[in-house]
Amino acid sequence: SVNPDLASERQTASFCVEKLTALLDGGAEQTRIRRAVVEAIESDPVFSRENQYFQTQNERYEAAVMKAVHLQKKMHEMGWTENGPEYKYIYRALSGDVAFLLHRVFMRSISVLGSDKQIAKWIPLATQHKLIGSYAQTELGHGTYLQGLETTAVFDTATQEFILNTPKISAMKWWPGDMGRSATHTVVFAQLYIHGKCYGIHPFIVQIRSLQDHSLCPGITAGDIGPKMNFEHIDNGYLLLKNVRIPRENMLSKFCEVRPDGTYVRQGSQKINYFTMTTVRISLISDEVLTPLMKACTIAIRYSVVRRQSKLRPGEQEAKILDYQTQQEKLLSQLAAAYAFHFINDYLQELFNRGYREIQNKNFDMLPELHALSSGFKAVITQHCTAGVEICLRACGGHGYSLLSGLPSLYTKILASCIYEGENTILLLQTARFLIKCFMAASSGQPVPPSVTYLASVKHSKCPAKNKLDFLSPDIYTEAYQHVAVRLISNTAAKLQDLVQSGVKKHDAWNQCTVQLVQAAKAHCHYIAVKNFAETVEKLEAKAGIQKIMKHLCDLFALHGIFSNTGAFLHDGYTSAAQMDMATASYLDLLAVIRKDAVPLVDAFDFTDKSLNSALGSYDGQVYQRLYEWAQRAPTNQMSPAYERYLKPLLHNTLSKL
Amino acid sequence: SVNPDLASERQTASFCVEKLTALLDGGAEQTRIRRAVVEAIESDPVFSRENQYFQTQNERYEAAVMKAVHLQKKMHEMGWTENGPEYKYIYRALSGDVAFLLHRVFMRSISVLGSDKQIAKWIPLATQHKLIGSYAQTELGHGTYLQGLETTAVFDTATQEFILNTPKISAMKWWPGDMGRSATHTVVFAQLYIHGKCYGIHPFIVQIRSLQDHSLCPGITAGDIGPKMNFEHIDNGYLLLKNVRIPRENMLSKFCEVRPDGTYVRQGSQKINYFTMTTVRISLISDEVLTPLMKACTIAIRYSVVRRQSKLRPGEQEAKILDYQTQQEKLLSQLAAAYAFHFINDYLQELFNRGYREIQNKNFDMLPELHALSSGFKAVITQHCTAGVEICLRACGGHGYSLLSGLPSLYTKILASCIYEGENTILLLQTARFLIKCFMAASSGQPVPPSVTYLASVKHSKCPAKNKLDFLSPDIYTEAYQHVAVRLISNTAAKLQDLVQSGVKKHDAWNQCTVQLVQAAKAHCHYIAVKNFAETVEKLEAKAGIQKIMKHLCDLFALHGIFSNTGAFLHDGYTSAAQMDMATASYLDLLAVIRKDAVPLVDAFDFTDKSLNSALGSYDGQVYQRLYEWAQRAPTNQMSPAYERYLKPLLHNTLSKL
């Protein structure tokens, strides 16, 4: 039975939930396929996550390996293939709680970086799981800056082998997933040396464990890097190489080859590699970043209509906490962001598909723009969604802090997305570098990529809004965002130029502007996200109430950004104080409007109870019963030896006899 | 041997580190006493936290109980008493990793709420640990709003007993520390009923476990609430009462008594109770909030001078990451906040000591101000420090994400401080209510408490700064903060009044202003923190370089707040855009200045390696060696059964035979 406080929220939906779900999925047929996958996975007890919050790191790892192995059978049974329409839903259905994710990266790196011969040799072995692959790039002392990697691969012409070494402790490979305990092979990135000359970083296939008994190969030291904030199910590992010899054929050689005599030959264009990095950044947004925020919103919003606390008006029943303006402000702005980022993700996916087609035709013109967009949006979305999940957690008070709410795990996992695949600050600075270049080009009348043509256009110097309703006009707020982005980019470009002209060296000048460059890059992405949301809403069908509620969310997303960052809009007087007060009034009014549809809006994400794995967020809203039942199963409710050992002697008063 | 990259940072300190440590401790003698306690605790292997990051919740609980019992012996051995000068350092030395913290709350609640007879009976038993006490207030469905608690205590005149019941699941006690597995007694808060009439919430002493065999008493259901985001060492518990009878004498009766015939008598003033709540909020700031932020700063800043990444200038060695402006902006602003909040904590402690003396003289005039300050600062400091620890964690990249860095545990623990002892948003609204009242009073010329007299004073309507150096003048920035606080409070008061005058009911009007009321309360606290820091610096001796570096930190704290919240200062034109650019320039300039003293400034916090328990933050900066050694000891580096069970069949190719 559904908690009546939750049930009543569903009766007044202003739109058709099922239609919105289909929109999010990209069509009703996709919804059907996704639900079939979820059903097949969730009905299989091997994939259960029921006891996850009670398990140790070791138990989590075991379960993830078991699931990965079972998944192969399941796919076979169900007729699912890696190229089939079901594949993209499997990971979501498993909530990512499965091993061997790096095996796919191992395979992809061979496909992209390997010669045809290498692909022909290794891909079938990997596909049939005759080996387990990993990907060893990051070192203990080196992350984002790949040129700084210290692992060496010295070519020995006598034996036609590469000799791999970890010259010092900071060169140890550190973090690669699946490497701590599972992998038999890995792709190692190392500095290539031939006849004493360094040719830079290259990828090498190295076997690290025996295929017979899984013991470490000669010269290999490897293990698990220990406990982390999350990812208990993954055996992130370390790897030390001591005179490990591999045949010449194991250097991945699509782009560079070492001939038997030691001649180094570079062939083809490596540009496709950069494209791979950018697509990885975009591909993680959906599964690793948006899904957790959507789950957190679902949990926190359902809980907030079931939880009652204090009285809004004297004499009444205690109020649902979602009826408090402060709670609405916390949660509904996250909900709006989840939708905004869903739509920008669609936009980015489309752009990257187009980019991929161009690149296959040997046209690399789109690369700089794609790199800037993928870097900037990876950073902005991971940062925003991580903060959003934390807000959802805190908005649930004490119960949010229990692992049983599901929120702590969502938070500790999504937090990692701000760090991996490029640390966010570094990525934003890459976007900023592109923006400054484009701004300079646009200023001197040169052509620039489509997403930055706005840098050349000068519009109003004052916001034309006359009353608070004007701030519900997408033209008004989109232009305000655009104005801020242009101002921050142009001001920072000017500061850079001033510094250099006053004699500061170029690199020092850049460093002295980085705090502001980061702001500029964020403003650019924020503008594009707002613009894209507004354009998406424009194109929606008006029927079934979908367009109307999406318009509200778009307005809220835009106005929340203005309200949270008023200084950017007020700075040069583009927005006056009076206009800011209008925007604030519209923003706060919207909260009460969207609050009415809050539950239907999270229902549309269509998460099953099993996938939420939360005592607070289930569809029926039976929060307290579930917390109590669940707690009773905790390992901490088994008899503790602490009583006999410590408490009994204490209570029976040995201490007072001291 | 100290890592040379770290050693070099200490050679150029602009001030005497030992003198700053003494200042933070409140005198060199205090430093001596603290170090003696730390030395005694850390040299005792029973108190070791060496394996903490590898332990399960059960193991953490066991260890905490063991430590709590051992601590009693230790205190006896060392001659430490609860009233001695050493006592306040013990908890810090243990990093809070000890059981029975609620035993002290149990004792304090009896001391404050009990009659002399009750105190005479229970306090000696508790002091001698003949029982273990807990404190059961929060319920599954009820937190901050105490009037909503549902547990009942019905007086039975026939037997002279109270009959306690949990009428429904949401009334179950939930969260009390030490109750899940340890406590034998607890103070239960319940709605008192006599002859069918409800007299509201009262405290009752209830035995829950046998003193002989620790089994649950009749009518009691109790256990552990399961895994949480942190506090694995604490057995937060649940408690269900079913017709539990306790003698009439067990209702704590300093302020209210039930006579044998059922007559209810209220005696004395309960105001002291509110004072207790406010002092708890202040007392947690130092141990639970400032210490974690100071530890996080120590870890992140030491790591940031050891970690090298990318090149600042071409041709040079990779740069220390603390040399990047963005890293300085992240970390040094947290460092400045740690100092700012240390000094505001001193201010609050002093104020509360004065308040306590007044109250002992039956003068309760200070109570509203103390309540407003304790609520506001509890919220502002916990929020700021929690965000600060997260920033430190993320600023350490991947290594910050490892539990071995110590940062994840600091974060997951400090996060709880935003929720317990009053959820932050609710507390800020209490402060706001006080501010609005005072503003109305001040506006009509009535006297107001000292901390809010500024609400009546009108100063400049424009910031008088003429160049960027002016923003290093405490008068300039303190006045700017004051102006913002007055503006936000007065604007919100006006909005409230407008709403009510336009016919909105008072309670609804309040709710419609809460988002802005929260902002106003924060602005008030921020202003007082800045003013207090500036006044503290003013009073410091100029010698040994202390005053100079503290002045820099004060400036940074103030300018960081302006830079992060420019809209508040720009809104009504108090600060012009040109002035904001000056403030920003001063802010960014300061980063480079303070960066030179960053390591000495965290050294002054004087944390031992054992208390940091971090592979990244040790005094010698041997980061990589320690990460590697530590990881090898992880339980995940013991042989896993996953190979035999799952990997071997997979690799030996059962799958491909499917």
Short mmCIF file of all heavy atoms in Angstrom, two decimals, chain A residues 62 130 140 145 175 224 307 309 313 330 390 398-399 401 411-412 425 508 581 637 640 653, chain B residues 62 130 140 145 175 224 307 309 313 330 390 398-399 401 411-412 425 508 571 637 640 653:
data_model
loop_
_atom_site.label_atom_id
_atom_site.label_comp_id
_atom_site.label_asym_id
_atom_site.label_seq_id
_atom_site.Cartn_x
_atom_site.Cartn_y
_atom_site.Cartn_z
N GLU A 62 34.12 -9.60 -4.46
CA GLU A 62 33.66 -10.96 -4.81
C GLU A 62 32.36 -10.92 -5.59
O GLU A 62 32.20 -11.59 -6.60
CB GLU A 62 33.37 -11.76 -3.53
CG GLU A 62 34.52 -11.97 -2.62
CD GLU A 62 35.24 -13.25 -2.94
OE1 GLU A 62 34.59 -14.23 -3.30
OE2 GLU A 62 36.49 -13.24 -2.83
N LYS A 130 39.43 -15.16 -22.59
CA LYS A 130 40.58 -16.03 -22.32
C LYS A 130 41.65 -15.26 -21.57
O LYS A 130 42.66 -15.81 -21.17
CB LYS A 130 41.11 -16.61 -23.64
CG LYS A 130 40.13 -17.61 -24.22
CD LYS A 130 40.71 -18.37 -25.39
CE LYS A 130 39.69 -19.41 -25.85
NZ LYS A 130 40.04 -20.02 -27.13
N LEU A 140 51.59 6.67 -9.53
CA LEU A 140 51.49 7.19 -8.16
C LEU A 140 51.78 8.70 -8.14
O LEU A 140 51.11 9.46 -7.46
CB LEU A 140 52.48 6.41 -7.29
CG LEU A 140 52.40 6.44 -5.78
CD1 LEU A 140 50.99 6.43 -5.23
CD2 LEU A 140 53.19 5.28 -5.21
N TYR A 145 48.93 14.98 -16.36
CA TYR A 145 50.01 15.39 -17.25
C TYR A 145 50.75 14.16 -17.76
O TYR A 145 51.70 13.66 -17.15
CB TYR A 145 50.95 16.29 -16.46
CG TYR A 145 52.08 16.91 -17.25
CD1 TYR A 145 51.83 17.85 -18.26
CD2 TYR A 145 53.40 16.57 -16.98
CE1 TYR A 145 52.87 18.42 -18.97
CE2 TYR A 145 54.45 17.14 -17.68
CZ TYR A 145 54.17 18.07 -18.67
OH TYR A 145 55.20 18.64 -19.37
N TRP A 175 45.99 3.01 -9.37
CA TRP A 175 44.56 3.26 -9.65
C TRP A 175 43.92 2.37 -10.72
O TRP A 175 42.69 2.22 -10.70
CB TRP A 175 44.25 4.72 -10.04
CG TRP A 175 44.13 5.64 -8.86
CD1 TRP A 175 45.02 6.62 -8.52
CD2 TRP A 175 43.12 5.65 -7.86
NE1 TRP A 175 44.61 7.23 -7.36
CE2 TRP A 175 43.45 6.66 -6.93
CE3 TRP A 175 41.95 4.90 -7.64
CZ2 TRP A 175 42.66 6.94 -5.81
CZ3 TRP A 175 41.17 5.19 -6.53
CH2 TRP A 175 41.54 6.21 -5.63
N ASP A 224 46.31 -4.54 -4.67
CA ASP A 224 45.17 -3.64 -4.54
C ASP A 224 45.59 -2.39 -3.76
O ASP A 224 46.35 -2.48 -2.81
CB ASP A 224 44.07 -4.40 -3.79
CG ASP A 224 42.75 -3.67 -3.76
OD1 ASP A 224 42.62 -2.69 -3.00
OD2 ASP A 224 41.84 -4.09 -4.49
N ARG A 307 7.81 12.78 4.98
CA ARG A 307 8.29 13.32 6.23
C ARG A 307 7.50 14.57 6.60
O ARG A 307 7.36 15.48 5.78
CB ARG A 307 9.78 13.70 6.08
CG ARG A 307 10.40 14.35 7.29
CD ARG A 307 10.59 13.34 8.40
NE ARG A 307 11.37 13.88 9.50
CZ ARG A 307 11.85 13.11 10.48
NH1 ARG A 307 11.64 11.80 10.49
NH2 ARG A 307 12.54 13.65 11.46
N GLN A 309 7.21 17.64 9.55
CA GLN A 309 8.07 18.25 10.58
C GLN A 309 7.58 19.66 10.86
O GLN A 309 7.45 20.47 9.94
CB GLN A 309 9.52 18.29 10.04
CG GLN A 309 10.53 18.97 10.92
CD GLN A 309 11.06 18.04 11.98
OE1 GLN A 309 11.27 16.87 11.72
NE2 GLN A 309 11.25 18.54 13.18
N ARG A 313 1.34 26.32 9.82
CA ARG A 313 0.35 27.23 10.37
C ARG A 313 -0.12 26.66 11.69
O ARG A 313 -0.29 25.45 11.81
CB ARG A 313 -0.84 27.34 9.40
CG ARG A 313 -0.46 27.98 8.09
CD ARG A 313 -1.51 27.83 7.01
NE ARG A 313 -0.86 27.97 5.71
CZ ARG A 313 -0.44 26.94 4.97
NH1 ARG A 313 -0.62 25.70 5.37
NH2 ARG A 313 0.17 27.16 3.82
N LYS A 330 16.09 23.92 -2.15
CA LYS A 330 17.17 22.93 -2.21
C LYS A 330 16.91 21.89 -3.29
O LYS A 330 17.79 21.59 -4.09
CB LYS A 330 17.31 22.21 -0.85
CG LYS A 330 17.88 23.07 0.25
CD LYS A 330 17.86 22.31 1.59
CE LYS A 330 18.09 23.29 2.74
NZ LYS A 330 17.98 22.63 4.06
N GLU A 390 24.77 15.98 -2.86
CA GLU A 390 25.04 16.34 -1.46
C GLU A 390 23.88 17.14 -0.87
O GLU A 390 23.49 16.94 0.28
CB GLU A 390 26.35 17.12 -1.36
CG GLU A 390 26.92 17.09 0.05
CD GLU A 390 27.64 18.37 0.44
OE1 GLU A 390 27.30 19.44 -0.11
OE2 GLU A 390 28.52 18.30 1.29
N GLY A 398 18.90 13.48 9.24
CA GLY A 398 19.58 12.30 9.78
C GLY A 398 19.38 11.06 8.92
O GLY A 398 20.32 10.32 8.67
N HIS A 399 18.17 10.86 8.43
CA HIS A 399 17.92 9.64 7.65
C HIS A 399 18.72 9.64 6.35
O HIS A 399 19.06 8.58 5.83
CB HIS A 399 16.43 9.46 7.37
CG HIS A 399 15.65 9.16 8.62
ND1 HIS A 399 16.13 8.33 9.61
CD2 HIS A 399 14.43 9.57 9.05
CE1 HIS A 399 15.24 8.24 10.60
NE2 HIS A 399 14.21 9.00 10.29
N TYR A 401 21.65 10.53 6.13
CA TYR A 401 23.02 10.20 6.52
C TYR A 401 23.20 8.69 6.73
O TYR A 401 24.32 8.19 6.75
CB TYR A 401 23.34 10.96 7.81
CG TYR A 401 24.79 10.95 8.21
CD1 TYR A 401 25.71 11.74 7.54
CD2 TYR A 401 25.23 10.14 9.26
CE1 TYR A 401 27.05 11.73 7.92
CE2 TYR A 401 26.56 10.14 9.63
CZ TYR A 401 27.47 10.93 8.97
OH TYR A 401 28.79 10.93 9.33
N TYR A 411 26.53 9.79 -3.27
CA TYR A 411 27.43 10.93 -3.14
C TYR A 411 28.90 10.50 -3.25
O TYR A 411 29.67 11.08 -4.03
CB TYR A 411 27.21 11.67 -1.81
CG TYR A 411 28.25 12.73 -1.65
CD1 TYR A 411 28.16 13.92 -2.38
CD2 TYR A 411 29.37 12.53 -0.87
CE1 TYR A 411 29.14 14.88 -2.31
CE2 TYR A 411 30.37 13.49 -0.79
CZ TYR A 411 30.24 14.66 -1.51
OH TYR A 411 31.24 15.60 -1.46
N THR A 412 29.29 9.50 -2.48
CA THR A 412 30.71 9.14 -2.46
C THR A 412 31.17 8.61 -3.82
O THR A 412 32.33 8.70 -4.16
CB THR A 412 31.02 8.11 -1.36
OG1 THR A 412 30.14 6.98 -1.50
CG2 THR A 412 30.85 8.71 0.02
N THR A 425 39.24 21.26 -12.66
CA THR A 425 39.85 22.58 -12.84
C THR A 425 40.72 22.60 -14.09
O THR A 425 40.70 23.56 -14.87
CB THR A 425 40.68 22.95 -11.60
OG1 THR A 425 39.83 22.92 -10.45
CG2 THR A 425 41.29 24.34 -11.73
N ASP A 508 53.33 33.02 -16.79
CA ASP A 508 52.97 33.56 -15.48
C ASP A 508 51.66 34.34 -15.56
O ASP A 508 50.82 34.26 -14.66
CB ASP A 508 54.09 34.47 -14.96
CG ASP A 508 55.34 33.67 -14.62
OD1 ASP A 508 55.19 32.52 -14.15
OD2 ASP A 508 56.45 34.18 -14.85
N ASP A 581 15.76 41.89 -8.33
CA ASP A 581 14.66 41.60 -7.41
C ASP A 581 13.48 40.96 -8.15
O ASP A 581 12.82 40.06 -7.61
CB ASP A 581 14.20 42.88 -6.70
CG ASP A 581 15.27 43.41 -5.75
OD1 ASP A 581 16.19 42.63 -5.39
OD2 ASP A 581 15.20 44.60 -5.37
N ASN A 637 23.74 -5.97 14.30
CA ASN A 637 22.73 -6.50 15.20
C ASN A 637 22.94 -7.96 15.54
O ASN A 637 22.07 -8.60 16.11
CB ASN A 637 21.32 -6.23 14.66
CG ASN A 637 20.86 -4.85 15.07
OD1 ASN A 637 21.00 -4.48 16.24
ND2 ASN A 637 20.39 -4.07 14.13
N SER A 640 27.61 -9.00 19.90
CA SER A 640 28.97 -8.48 19.86
C SER A 640 29.80 -9.07 20.99
O SER A 640 29.35 -9.16 22.12
CB SER A 640 28.92 -6.96 20.03
OG SER A 640 30.14 -6.51 20.54
N ASN A 653 32.37 -3.94 37.61
CA ASN A 653 33.07 -3.06 38.52
C ASN A 653 34.52 -3.36 38.83
O ASN A 653 35.00 -3.13 39.93
CB ASN A 653 32.27 -3.03 39.81
CG ASN A 653 32.01 -1.59 40.14
OD1 ASN A 653 32.62 -0.71 39.53
ND2 ASN A 653 31.15 -1.35 41.08
N GLU B 62 33.91 -2.42 18.45
CA GLU B 62 34.69 -3.16 19.46
C GLU B 62 35.85 -2.32 19.97
O GLU B 62 36.11 -2.21 21.16
CB GLU B 62 35.30 -4.41 18.84
CG GLU B 62 34.34 -5.41 18.32
CD GLU B 62 33.98 -6.43 19.35
OE1 GLU B 62 34.85 -6.81 20.13
OE2 GLU B 62 32.79 -6.82 19.38
N LYS B 130 28.83 1.92 36.98
CA LYS B 130 28.01 0.77 37.35
C LYS B 130 26.82 0.65 36.40
O LYS B 130 26.05 -0.29 36.47
CB LYS B 130 27.55 0.90 38.81
CG LYS B 130 28.72 0.72 39.76
CD LYS B 130 28.29 0.64 41.21
CE LYS B 130 29.53 0.36 42.06
NZ LYS B 130 29.26 0.47 43.49
N LEU B 140 12.13 8.07 15.08
CA LEU B 140 12.19 7.75 13.65
C LEU B 140 11.49 8.83 12.83
O LEU B 140 11.98 9.24 11.78
CB LEU B 140 11.54 6.38 13.46
CG LEU B 140 11.74 5.57 12.20
CD1 LEU B 140 13.14 5.65 11.64
CD2 LEU B 140 11.36 4.13 12.46
N TYR B 145 11.70 19.12 15.80
CA TYR B 145 10.46 19.64 16.41
C TYR B 145 10.06 18.76 17.59
O TYR B 145 9.35 17.76 17.45
CB TYR B 145 9.37 19.64 15.34
CG TYR B 145 8.05 20.24 15.76
CD1 TYR B 145 7.95 21.60 16.04
CD2 TYR B 145 6.92 19.45 15.85
CE1 TYR B 145 6.73 22.16 16.40
CE2 TYR B 145 5.70 20.00 16.20
CZ TYR B 145 5.60 21.36 16.48
OH TYR B 145 4.41 21.90 16.83
N TRP B 175 18.51 6.73 16.51
CA TRP B 175 19.78 7.48 16.48
C TRP B 175 20.54 7.58 17.80
O TRP B 175 21.77 7.80 17.76
CB TRP B 175 19.62 8.93 15.95
CG TRP B 175 19.58 9.00 14.46
CD1 TRP B 175 18.49 9.33 13.71
CD2 TRP B 175 20.64 8.74 13.52
NE1 TRP B 175 18.79 9.29 12.37
CE2 TRP B 175 20.11 8.93 12.23
CE3 TRP B 175 21.98 8.36 13.64
CZ2 TRP B 175 20.87 8.75 11.07
CZ3 TRP B 175 22.74 8.19 12.50
CH2 TRP B 175 22.18 8.38 11.23
N ASP B 224 20.80 -1.86 16.90
CA ASP B 224 21.64 -0.90 16.19
C ASP B 224 20.94 -0.48 14.89
O ASP B 224 20.33 -1.32 14.22
CB ASP B 224 22.97 -1.60 15.89
CG ASP B 224 24.02 -0.67 15.35
OD1 ASP B 224 23.93 -0.30 14.16
OD2 ASP B 224 24.94 -0.32 16.10
N ARG B 307 53.44 17.22 -4.22
CA ARG B 307 52.94 16.80 -5.51
C ARG B 307 53.36 17.80 -6.59
O ARG B 307 53.16 19.00 -6.45
CB ARG B 307 51.41 16.77 -5.46
CG ARG B 307 50.74 16.40 -6.78
CD ARG B 307 50.92 14.96 -7.11
NE ARG B 307 50.12 14.52 -8.24
CZ ARG B 307 49.97 13.24 -8.57
NH1 ARG B 307 50.57 12.30 -7.87
NH2 ARG B 307 49.24 12.90 -9.61
N GLN B 309 53.02 18.62 -10.77
CA GLN B 309 52.13 18.27 -11.88
C GLN B 309 52.22 19.35 -12.95
O GLN B 309 52.03 20.53 -12.65
CB GLN B 309 50.69 18.20 -11.34
CG GLN B 309 49.62 17.94 -12.36
CD GLN B 309 49.46 16.46 -12.67
OE1 GLN B 309 49.56 15.63 -11.79
NE2 GLN B 309 49.27 16.13 -13.92
N ARG B 313 56.20 26.91 -16.36
CA ARG B 313 56.95 27.59 -17.42
C ARG B 313 57.67 26.54 -18.24
O ARG B 313 58.21 25.59 -17.67
CB ARG B 313 57.97 28.55 -16.79
CG ARG B 313 57.29 29.68 -16.01
CD ARG B 313 58.23 30.47 -15.15
NE ARG B 313 57.47 31.12 -14.09
CZ ARG B 313 57.27 30.64 -12.86
NH1 ARG B 313 57.83 29.47 -12.52
NH2 ARG B 313 56.55 31.27 -11.98
N LYS B 330 41.71 27.50 -3.84
CA LYS B 330 40.95 26.46 -3.14
C LYS B 330 41.41 26.32 -1.69
O LYS B 330 40.58 26.30 -0.78
CB LYS B 330 41.14 25.11 -3.84
CG LYS B 330 40.46 24.99 -5.18
CD LYS B 330 40.81 23.67 -5.86
CE LYS B 330 40.41 23.71 -7.33
NZ LYS B 330 40.83 22.51 -8.06
N GLU B 390 35.62 19.25 1.96
CA GLU B 390 35.38 18.66 0.64
C GLU B 390 36.32 19.29 -0.41
O GLU B 390 36.85 18.60 -1.27
CB GLU B 390 33.92 18.84 0.22
CG GLU B 390 33.50 17.86 -0.87
CD GLU B 390 32.49 18.44 -1.83
OE1 GLU B 390 32.47 19.67 -2.02
OE2 GLU B 390 31.73 17.66 -2.41
N GLY B 398 43.02 12.22 -7.14
CA GLY B 398 42.78 10.81 -6.86
C GLY B 398 43.24 10.39 -5.47
O GLY B 398 42.53 9.67 -4.77
N HIS B 399 44.42 10.84 -5.06
CA HIS B 399 44.92 10.41 -3.76
C HIS B 399 44.05 10.90 -2.61
O HIS B 399 43.99 10.27 -1.56
CB HIS B 399 46.37 10.85 -3.57
CG HIS B 399 47.32 10.13 -4.49
ND1 HIS B 399 47.17 8.79 -4.79
CD2 HIS B 399 48.40 10.55 -5.18
CE1 HIS B 399 48.13 8.42 -5.64
NE2 HIS B 399 48.89 9.47 -5.90
N TYR B 401 40.97 10.88 -2.67
CA TYR B 401 39.81 10.00 -2.69
C TYR B 401 40.07 8.66 -1.99
O TYR B 401 39.14 7.94 -1.63
CB TYR B 401 39.39 9.79 -4.14
CG TYR B 401 38.05 9.14 -4.33
CD1 TYR B 401 36.87 9.85 -4.15
CD2 TYR B 401 37.95 7.80 -4.69
CE1 TYR B 401 35.64 9.26 -4.33
CE2 TYR B 401 36.71 7.19 -4.88
CZ TYR B 401 35.56 7.93 -4.70
OH TYR B 401 34.34 7.33 -4.88
N TYR B 411 35.68 14.15 5.93
CA TYR B 411 34.50 14.69 5.28
C TYR B 411 33.22 14.01 5.74
O TYR B 411 32.24 14.66 6.11
CB TYR B 411 34.61 14.59 3.75
CG TYR B 411 33.33 15.05 3.10
CD1 TYR B 411 33.04 16.40 3.03
CD2 TYR B 411 32.38 14.14 2.69
CE1 TYR B 411 31.84 16.83 2.52
CE2 TYR B 411 31.17 14.56 2.19
CZ TYR B 411 30.90 15.90 2.10
OH TYR B 411 29.70 16.33 1.61
N THR B 412 33.19 12.69 5.69
CA THR B 412 31.94 11.99 6.00
C THR B 412 31.55 12.22 7.46
O THR B 412 30.37 12.17 7.80
CB THR B 412 32.04 10.48 5.71
OG1 THR B 412 33.19 9.94 6.36
CG2 THR B 412 32.15 10.22 4.22
N THR B 425 19.43 24.68 8.38
CA THR B 425 18.46 25.64 7.85
C THR B 425 17.51 26.11 8.95
O THR B 425 17.19 27.30 9.06
CB THR B 425 17.66 25.00 6.69
OG1 THR B 425 18.59 24.59 5.68
CG2 THR B 425 16.68 25.97 6.09
N ASP B 508 2.30 32.12 6.49
CA ASP B 508 2.60 31.91 5.07
C ASP B 508 3.61 32.94 4.58
O ASP B 508 4.51 32.62 3.80
CB ASP B 508 1.32 32.00 4.23
CG ASP B 508 0.38 30.84 4.51
OD1 ASP B 508 0.90 29.72 4.75
OD2 ASP B 508 -0.84 31.03 4.50
N HIS B 571 24.75 44.72 -5.18
CA HIS B 571 23.30 44.84 -5.41
C HIS B 571 22.78 46.27 -5.42
O HIS B 571 22.21 46.74 -6.39
CB HIS B 571 22.54 43.98 -4.41
CG HIS B 571 21.08 43.89 -4.68
ND1 HIS B 571 20.18 44.87 -4.33
CD2 HIS B 571 20.34 42.93 -5.29
CE1 HIS B 571 18.97 44.53 -4.70
NE2 HIS B 571 19.04 43.35 -5.29
N ASN B 637 44.41 -7.11 0.04
CA ASN B 637 45.62 -7.74 -0.50
C ASN B 637 45.86 -9.13 0.06
O ASN B 637 46.93 -9.69 -0.11
CB ASN B 637 46.83 -6.83 -0.32
CG ASN B 637 46.92 -5.85 -1.47
OD1 ASN B 637 46.80 -6.26 -2.62
ND2 ASN B 637 47.05 -4.58 -1.17
N SER B 640 42.11 -13.74 -2.52
CA SER B 640 40.67 -13.70 -2.64
C SER B 640 40.14 -15.03 -3.16
O SER B 640 40.70 -15.61 -4.08
CB SER B 640 40.28 -12.60 -3.62
OG SER B 640 39.05 -12.89 -4.20
N ASN B 653 37.78 -21.12 -19.50
CA ASN B 653 36.97 -21.16 -20.70
C ASN B 653 35.70 -21.98 -20.67
O ASN B 653 35.29 -22.53 -21.67
CB ASN B 653 37.83 -21.66 -21.85
CG ASN B 653 37.72 -20.65 -22.95
OD1 ASN B 653 36.86 -19.78 -22.89
ND2 ASN B 653 38.56 -20.77 -23.95
#
